Amino acid sequence: MMSTALGMGLAGAALGMYIYNNSKPSYQRKIQRGLNHAVDEMSDVVGDVSDHVRRTMM
């Protein structure tokens, strides 16, 4: 099960890179902006979770 999930993730990443590399520059910029937004959101979530864990541990 774990190897299947890992294989699907790698296949998805490879397909995503293929699509990105073969797309127009304007679409590549949209993808980059979307990824930057997703990373910012994940950073906020991780910060909130770590703050919560710190408060509950003390």
Side-chain angles (χ1 to χ4, degrees), residues 28-56:
Q28 288 179 355
R29 284 190 294 276
K30 282 184 181 179
I31 292 171
Q32 290 171 353
R33 282 193 299 268
L35 286 174
N36 286 339
H37 181 70
V39 168
D40 289 342
E41 291 291 320
M42 287 298 292
S43 177
D44 292 344
V45 168
V46 169
D48 291 345
V49 169
S50 65
D51 289 344
H52 178 72
V53 168
R54 268 191 224 114
R55 278 184 273 146
T56 57

